[in-house]
Amino acid sequence: MIGAILQTSFRSLRRDRGAFVMSFVLPIGFFTIFGFVFGSMRGSSTPRVTVLLVDEDRTGASRALVQGLLREPSLDAMTHPKATKENPAPADYTTATAEAAVRSGVAPAALIIPAGFGANPIAFGPNSESGAQRATFEILHDSADPVAAQVVAGMLQKTVMMVLPATMATMGSQYFDREIGGLTPQQRRQMDQGLARLRKMQDEDAQPSAGAQQGQAAADDQSGMVAVHVRDVVGERKKSPMISYYAAGVGVMFLMFTASAAGGSLLDESESGALDRVLSARVTMTTLLAGKLIYCALLAFAQLTLMFLWAALVFHLDFFSHIPGFLVMTAITSFAVASFGMLLASLARTRGQLGAFSTLIILTMSALGGSMFPKFIMSDLMIRVGYFTFNSWAIEGYQKIFWRDEPIRSLGPEAAVLVTAGLAMFVMARWFARKWESV
Amino acid sequence: MIHGSAPGFAMLNSATVNPASSRVAPPPLQVESVVKRFGAVTAVAGVSLEIPAGACFGLLGPNGAGKSTLIRSIMGRVRPDSGSIRIFGAPVGSTSARADLGWVPQELAVYPLLTCRENLHAFGRYEGLSGKALEEAIAWCLDWAALADRAKSPVKTLSGGMKRRLNMAAGLIHRPRLVLLDEPTVGVDPQSRNRIFEMVEALRASGTTIIYTTHYMEEAERLCDSIAIIDHGEIIAQGTKDALVARSFGSRSSVTMHFGATRVDLAAWAARRGGSAQDSMVLCSVEKPAEIADWLDAASREGLEVLDVTLQRPNLESVFLHLTGKELRA
């Protein structure tokens, strides 16, 4: 008896493709995405932090430090913007350009190596005991990424230790000389010879290595080898840095579910015969799809508006100062998501099939696009893959408006991508909808 | 109450008539040599039909006969491989043809969460109605379908019969001159069926041309003045009910006899006497009822045990069985 029940159940599962996909493909797919996001398949549990390097000191010590930071594997450090066709040899970052870059979201942090660093690079203990005023490093930070500054600060201390052996030894001997009472001439000669070797090694390390592009930042810390001050240059006056991120991220994810369900009304109408009746009236398939698209888009617009109003009410998101940008982003996001819903519905043959595949695609896009976990914990590869999702572009656009206070004209890339993708998907939906027309 | 001849309906019906065509008005439906194939299967094999204005035309056929494909071709939902279909002279799919043609599908093709009025409003808009014309059309439809008191009820709260009536009304919201009713009484109780008959009769009385498909012979006999039987994609018979019966059976009546168990070859015995046999049943026809006595005598001589004998005047069911070899409701 139980055998018959099992047999019937397995046969039904095998023939229900939607249930089959949900049972096996979806869990494996998600496990894989999480694996990539958290780096377990890359042998590294921490994604690289992008940091912009500004050398205001321009001494051998500072150059050695820059080279060390560029080689640091946990950092994606850059001394200048990437070369482009228009600007094949970009100038090195200055404090001003690096700050602007952090503000615009190029990197979550910039490290300023201060003038005077080479003259008195490290100290043991606080300034008053070192006998000289230490120059203080500054980390310019986008507080939307709470990890970056901490990682950069830690890697700075580590790199100083690793790449400045001669400086370390020199400063150590001076400390020893001052605190213990001086070396004998023979001890001093031997120490000078050793320091000379170390300086030679350090100078060799200071030569720029071709192609190296790595780096990192710090937190307010005066107790390490180097003094570090962290300054938030984005969101310094804002509360809850992730609220606008997740209002957009979660909003877009559920928008896609809504659009998929709304688009599915086409399948309901097809199954009930209402679609035949509508199409045999004076309604064309293009008109019908356009009507459904506008309905989905309006529904999505209302959902996102409610989401952001709720964020303003409960989490004090500064909604009312950003209404023009919000309207632009919400309009283009709603259009793109509605087209996506139309496309899914036109591809599916049954409601069950639509439910299964839309769940798979939407959850995957949401995981890759940043709706489920913030991008700063993702690897570079995953972030690049995420650019194939609506979520990523929508989140980026809303962050520009609500977090970076950028003007509406800065939404050009997001608008171009979302509108183009929306149009392309609507055209594809229309193409696939031919199955409902005359045969 | 059924108000098929309501002034508004008659007025709008007449409003759709092209004055230029009043002298030589094209027929409501003209089907010429329509062929439709799906892969290796020929669903419609060269059907030709012409339905006169004001007729109620029954289209009968067993499942898989090609009836649905022909109906969908008339609706413009299936493109024939060859042949042509014209609605009041206009090609199927044209704006004019769409305006003149109403379709009541077999499925309950209405929006279940909307009310009756909202459904009619939606389908009216789809047909291009608006403003006062739409409101008048909705009022007429609710009255015609006897749903005025349920206008604000969501469809899902209606009885099966009410849903059927709303389904019909939605197909007529634009007051078409030709209406295709595809099995409108499927799944309804006898009382609701009678109400639907009254609706169809009122529609016909108003001058609307109707194509009516059904699996119930008594419906076709009651409502249709001309009938076509389709099988294997072809029209195998067409005419009035009486003409079809006369063509198949002449003036004879059919006799059905059931026999008890026997070793006699019933098929051979029946064939010798001009009848046919299926298992223990023999079918034959007689000119006069008294001829049954000859069959009973012959059976007695063979030692056959007669269990029962039925004499029946041929009807559409008999014609259908005779022509297709299938029960219509099978």
Side-chain angles (χ1 to χ4, degrees):
Chain A
M1 190 67 76
I2 288 177
I5 293 169
L6 285 173
Q7 191 179 44
T8 305
S9 301
F10 277 116
R11 279 179 177 163
S12 300
L13 176 64
R14 201 177 65 209
R15 284 166 194 164
D16 183 347
R17 290 181 188 173
F20 196 83
V21 166
M22 294 292 279
S23 303
F24 297 103
V25 178
L26 192 60
I28 293 292
F30 263 74
F31 168 70
T32 308
I33 291 168
F34 273 74
F36 274 117
V37 168
F38 292 106
S40 59
M41 296 183 73
R42 292 158 52 89
S44 166
S45 58
T46 308
R48 297 201 309 170
V49 172
T50 302
V51 60
L52 313 179
L53 300 178
V54 179
D55 184 359
E56 290 187 338
D57 188 46
R58 300 193 177 281
T59 61
S62 67
R63 280 192 288 273
L65 179 59
V66 167
Q67 291 307 311
L69 290 168
L70 289 171
R71 285 195 298 269
E72 172 54 46
S74 59
L75 298 179
D76 180 15
M78 296 182 285
T79 56
H80 52 75
K82 286 177 180 162
T84 61
K85 280 182 182 174
E86 296 76 27
N87 188 7
D92 282 353
Y93 283 117
T94 64
T95 301
T97 58
E99 181 170 336
V102 172
R103 283 185 187 279
S104 64
V106 172
L111 175 65
I112 314 298
I113 302 172
F117 164 71
N120 191 25
I122 59 173
F124 299 96
N127 282 334
S128 58
E129 295 177 14
S130 67
Q133 186 65 39
R134 287 191 294 177
T136 300
F137 283 73
E138 190 170 42
I139 296 176
L140 309 179
H141 182 222
D142 178 353
S143 56
D145 183 345
V147 176
Q150 303 296 329
V151 173
V152 171
M155 290 302 105
L156 173 64
Q157 301 290 353
K158 172 194 166 189
T159 308
V160 166
M161 289 283 290
M162 300 289 289
V163 304
L164 299 174
T167 307
M168 288 278 292
T170 302
M171 300 305 289
S173 71
Q174 288 173 358
Y175 179 81
F176 181 82
D177 210 6
R178 185 174 66 246
E179 299 297 327
I180 304 300
L183 300 172
T184 65
Q186 187 180 2
Q187 287 171 323
R188 186 168 300 283
R189 241 190 338 271
Q190 287 179 341
M191 193 182 71
D192 286 345
Q193 288 171 358
L195 286 174
R197 283 196 300 275
L198 286 172
R199 277 195 202 94
K200 188 180 176 189
M201 287 170 54
Q202 184 173 305
D203 290 344
E204 286 170 358
D205 284 348
Q207 299 305 313
S209 53
Q213 279 284 312
Q214 295 177 2
Q216 86 138 28
D220 244 24
D221 187 359
Q222 303 291 329
S223 60
M225 296 286 181
V226 294
V228 176
H229 169 69
V230 177
R231 178 162 66 90
D232 287 336
V233 296
V234 186
E236 59 269 38
R237 291 182 302 279
K238 293 180 188 291
K239 301 170 187 171
S240 309
M242 298 306 288
I243 288 304
S244 60
Y245 183 99
Y246 276 115
V250 174
V252 171
M253 180 168 71
F254 282 95
L255 238 56
M256 289 198 287
F257 278 115
T258 302
S260 163
S265 65
L266 277 169
L267 294 165
D268 291 339
E269 289 168 18
S270 172
E271 286 169 16
S272 75
L275 186 64
D276 266 342
R277 173 173 258 174
V278 171
L279 292 175
S280 67
R282 300 191 193 188
V283 181
T284 64
M285 181 52 86
T286 303
T287 307
L288 180 64
L289 277 186
K292 298 272 183 190
L293 176 82
I294 293 169
Y295 161 71
C296 284
L298 290 175
L299 195 61
F301 195 99
Q303 275 188 303
L304 271 176
T305 304
L306 182 64
M307 180 75 87
F308 275 82
L309 282 174
W310 183 255
L313 183 70
V314 178
F315 299 106
H316 310 294
L317 177 74
D318 186 10
F319 175 76
F320 296 100
S321 302
H322 300 93
I323 286 180
F326 168 81
L327 292 176
V328 171
M329 269 314 296
T330 304
I332 58 177
T333 304
S334 300
F335 168 67
V337 169
S339 293
F340 173 72
M342 292 295 104
L343 178 59
L344 282 183
S346 67
L347 283 169
R349 294 196 173 278
T350 63
R351 261 284 187 181
Q353 201 179 59
L354 175 68
F357 284 106
S358 62
T359 301
L360 176 67
I361 294 169
I362 292 169
L363 290 183
T364 302
M365 286 177 70
S366 298
L368 293 172
S371 284
M372 292 188 177
F373 21 69
K375 287 184 183 179
F376 59 76
I377 67 167
M378 294 184 186
S379 66
D380 295 341
L381 174 66
M382 297 306 289
I383 290 173
R384 280 199 293 276
V385 172
Y387 284 120
F388 288 97
T389 69
F390 292 126
N391 313 59
S392 181
W393 290 97
I395 289 170
E396 186 59 31
Y398 282 109
Q399 286 291 83
K400 280 183 177 179
I401 297 298
F402 284 95
W403 186 245
R404 298 192 193 102
D405 294 323
E406 292 187 25
I408 291 177
R409 64 176 179 277
S410 71
L411 296 175
E414 287 76 20
V417 169
L418 290 172
V419 171
T420 305
L423 286 172
M425 283 187 297
F426 184 72
V427 170
M428 289 166 69
R430 178 64 188 84
W431 172 264
F432 288 116
R434 290 181 311 151
K435 68 184 176 190
W436 288 311
E437 292 184 287
S438 301
V439 292
Chain B
M1 287 285 283
I2 306 299
H3 301 290
S5 55
F9 180 77
M11 178 186 71
L12 284 171
N13 250 345
S14 59
T16 58
V17 175
N18 181 358
S21 64
S22 59
R23 277 171 288 182
V24 188
L29 176 67
Q30 203 168 18
V31 178
E32 287 184 7
S33 308
V34 166
V35 175
K36 179 64 184 178
R37 298 184 188 88
F38 295 104
V41 177
T42 301
V44 179
V47 166
S48 294
L49 278 176
E50 186 169 310
I51 300 177
C56 183
F57 185 85
L59 186 62
L60 311 181
N63 292 328
K67 190 169 39 128
S68 294
T69 304
L70 179 59
I71 291 167
R72 291 175 65 79
S73 300
I74 295 169
M75 287 309 306
R77 304 293 298 136
V78 167
R79 282 193 300 271
D81 296 320
S82 62
S84 69
I85 302 173
R86 304 184 83 81
I87 311 291
F88 288 100
V92 162
S94 65
T95 304
S96 168
R98 284 176 187 240
D100 280 333
L101 183 58
W103 179 36
V104 176
Q106 193 179 131
E107 302 85 7
L108 287 170
V110 290
Y111 298 109
L113 298 177
L114 302 190
T115 65
C116 296
R117 169 176 282 282
E118 289 165 344
N119 265 286
L120 293 171
H121 188 273
F123 287 109
R125 292 294 303 276
Y126 295 158
E127 294 289 358
L129 298 178
S130 62
K132 192 179 174 188
L134 177 58
E135 287 306 315
E136 284 179 358
I138 291 172
W140 181 85
C141 282
L142 287 170
D143 192 30
W144 177 66
L147 288 170
D149 57 335
R150 301 301 298 270
K152 294 180 180 174
S153 300
V155 170
K156 64 179 184 178
T157 66
L158 302 180
S159 68
M162 289 176 180
K163 288 176 185 170
R164 281 277 156 204
R165 300 204 303 270
L166 176 65
N167 197 39
M168 291 175 70
L172 272 75
I173 186 74
H174 60 303
R175 317 292 177 85
R177 291 192 287 164
L178 172 62
V179 175
L180 206 163
L181 300 172
D182 192 3
E183 300 192 30
T185 59
V186 166
V188 301
D189 58 66
Q191 188 183 358
S192 296
R193 181 174 296 169
N194 277 332
R195 192 180 284 274
I196 289 172
F197 291 163
E198 290 174 23
M199 289 167 67
V200 175
E201 283 162 352
L203 197 62
R204 195 181 160 196
S206 71
T208 304
T209 307
I210 299 168
I211 302 173
Y212 193 97
T213 77
T214 181
H215 273 183
Y216 300 105
M217 286 299 167
E218 62 273 21
E219 289 184 14
E221 288 184 350
R222 171 174 172 172
L223 299 171
C224 302
D225 42 23
S226 181
I227 292 162
I229 296 175
I230 184 169
D231 197 20
H232 300 297
E234 295 179 48
I235 302 287
I236 56 174
Q238 185 180 343
T240 63
K241 174 208 155 191
D242 291 340
L244 289 174
V245 170
R247 206 173 302 154
S248 297
F249 297 99
S251 57
R252 301 173 73 85
S253 300
S254 64
V255 177
T256 306
M257 292 187 286
H258 286 92
F259 292 93
T262 177
R263 292 183 179 177
V264 174
D265 184 351
L266 269 182
W269 176 77
R272 280 199 302 274
R273 300 189 56 80
S276 62
Q278 291 175 2
D279 300 326
S280 62
M281 181 179 75
V282 168
L283 299 170
C284 61
S285 65
V286 294
E287 188 67 39
K288 295 176 182 173
E291 292 174 19
I292 294 175
D294 297 339
W295 281 87
L296 295 176
D297 287 344
S300 178
R301 285 195 297 275
E302 289 289 337
L304 294 168
E305 181 192 7
V306 179
L307 299 180
D308 67 60
V309 179
T310 308
L311 173 72
Q312 190 179 32
R313 281 293 301 154
N315 55 15
L316 268 183
E317 189 92 44
S318 317
V319 173
F320 193 86
L321 189 63
H322 174 75
L323 292 174
T324 67
K326 297 165 193 163
E327 296 279 356
L328 189 55
R329 289 170 212 171

